[in-house]
Amino acid sequence: MEEVFGVFGDPVEHSLSPVMHNAAISALGMKARYHAFRVSREGLGDALLGACAMGFGGVNLTIPLKERALELGFLEPDALSRGIGAVNTVDFKDGIRGFNTDGVGALRALEDACGSIRGKRVVLLGAGGAARAIAFQFASVGARVLIVNRTEERGRRLAESVSSVGGAVEAFGFASLGELLDSAHVLVNATSVGMHPLVNRTIVTGDMLHPGLVVFDIVYNPLKTRLLLEAEAAGARIVTGEMMLVYQGAEAFRIWTGVMPPVDVMKRAVLDALGV
Ligand code: ATR
């Protein structure tokens, strides 16, 4: 029988996860299919129990369900997803267990380009869901994470929650950005600034960047955001956002199946779907 995987969310029709996972499933010759399911916040509990009862191979969660999953008494989150406060991957093999692979996705995308970030100074723009996953993950591998968020208080709260599990994390306001960037090794944009349709926006401009810096933007629509174009012009190395999406999916796939899927095939499927 064909095994079923999927992504639950609302809205979910524009998710790139089905094309990406189905490309991996085809490449591996598996008898399986990955679908998108529209599931509301109120319906998440029933949907997960139903998926478990029907023998689904696993599901991803997207907006607005990642945080909601932690409110369900029957779901067992691992330590990382509990710390982040969001679950993006659910596995049904041994109970109903929650994981968060967004941070691993970002870490692999970045380390592909620049090697280990242990001991590196990483300026992280943002303190929302994506930034939380990145802050916890990067701190867990020994990076020095410097959070800069428009709402300073939100950045401080994130720094405190990562510090409480032993990470080297501090929070700052936008006024400190220039100084922080001068001595940084990596800049990560984990805000939505620069995303289609407001493609002309950027928090950091080229004059604040230096050639030794690696600049990673998690926005993948467009692939080359204004931040990355300015970084390139300033001589910095750039990392585009699609590989975070690919690697978070690949890690979810590995949790469900024990098999590391072909990331090059998944990347091609994502780029084709984006028309790149
Ligand atoms: P996500 O889950 O995608 O990370 P989110 O939780 O809404 O989304 O977080 C969005 C992040 O982008 C936040 O860090 C937000 O800053 P605030 O905490 O100050 O709201 C940041 N952000 C969004 N629009 C921004 C803008 N125009 N300028 C600066 N930061 C912005």
Side-chain angles (χ1 to χ4, degrees):
M1 210 168 68
E2 193 174 73
E3 194 165 21
V4 178
F5 298 88
V7 56
F8 293 175
D10 187 13
V12 76
E13 57 272 26
H14 298 299
S15 170
L16 294 172
S17 292
V19 290
M20 179 171 82
H21 282 281
N22 284 322
I25 286 167
S26 298
L28 291 167
M30 287 168 61
K31 227 174 140 196
R33 197 77 192 153
Y34 184 110
H35 302 276
F37 298 90
R38 191 161 159 210
V39 174
S40 67
R41 278 179 57 84
E42 296 68 37
L44 179 62
D46 288 346
L48 285 175
L49 290 171
C52 183
M54 288 187 286
F56 274 34
V59 298
N60 287 126
L61 303 181
T62 188
I63 290 170
L65 307 177
K66 292 182 183 189
E67 290 84 11
R68 168 76 184 138
L70 286 160
E71 296 166 10
L72 302 171
F74 59 79
L75 184 139
E76 298 168 60
D78 71 347
L80 182 64
S81 60
R82 193 182 299 118
I84 294 167
V87 165
N88 80 328
T89 299
V90 180
D91 185 54
F92 301 110
K93 271 192 295 299
D94 185 16
I96 300 183
R97 291 183 303 146
F99 302 86
N100 191 310
T101 67
D102 287 332
V104 180
L107 182 67
R108 296 220 176 112
L110 184 59
E111 290 195 339
D112 261 3
C114 73
S116 168
I117 59 165
R118 174 176 295 278
K120 299 272 170 67
R121 289 170 65 85
V122 178
V123 173
L124 176 61
L125 296 174
R132 285 188 67 83
I134 291 172
F136 272 91
Q137 189 76 44
F138 285 22
S140 79
V141 297
R144 191 113 183 257
V145 183
L146 310 163
I147 297 166
V148 181
N149 195 47
R150 176 178 61 184
T151 312
E152 281 189 54
E153 178 50 31
R154 196 177 182 197
R156 260 199 303 278
R157 279 202 305 272
L158 172 55
E160 275 162 24
S161 49
V162 184
S163 300
S164 72
V165 293
V169 183
E170 290 167 87
F172 303 84
F174 278 2
S176 310
L177 250 180
E179 204 180 318
L180 290 172
L181 285 170
D182 284 345
S183 58
H185 301 103
V186 178
L187 167 64
V188 181
N189 175 46
T191 74
S192 49
V193 177
M195 192 188 288
H196 181 81
L198 301 176
V199 297
N200 256 326
R201 297 237 176 119
T202 182
I203 295 170
V204 170
T205 47
D207 55 306
M208 300 163 83
L209 304 172
H210 57 85
L213 201 64
V214 177
V215 181
F216 174 28
D217 200 332
I218 72 161
V219 170
Y220 55 77
N221 182 21
L223 222 47
K224 278 209 187 162
T225 56
R226 164 135 180 243
L227 170 63
L228 293 186
L229 291 169
E230 296 213 14
E232 240 177 1
R237 201 151 13 127
I238 68 162
V239 182
T240 49
E242 82 287 0
M243 285 314 283
M244 173 175 170
L245 173 72
V246 169
Y247 277 124
Q248 66 74 29
E251 180 59 15
F253 195 98
R254 194 194 60 75
I255 288 170
W256 299 325
T257 66
V259 174
M260 193 60 192
V263 288
D264 49 340
V265 170
M266 295 169 82
K267 176 180 176 178
R268 192 61 260 160
V270 166
L271 294 182
D272 285 349
L274 290 171
V276 183

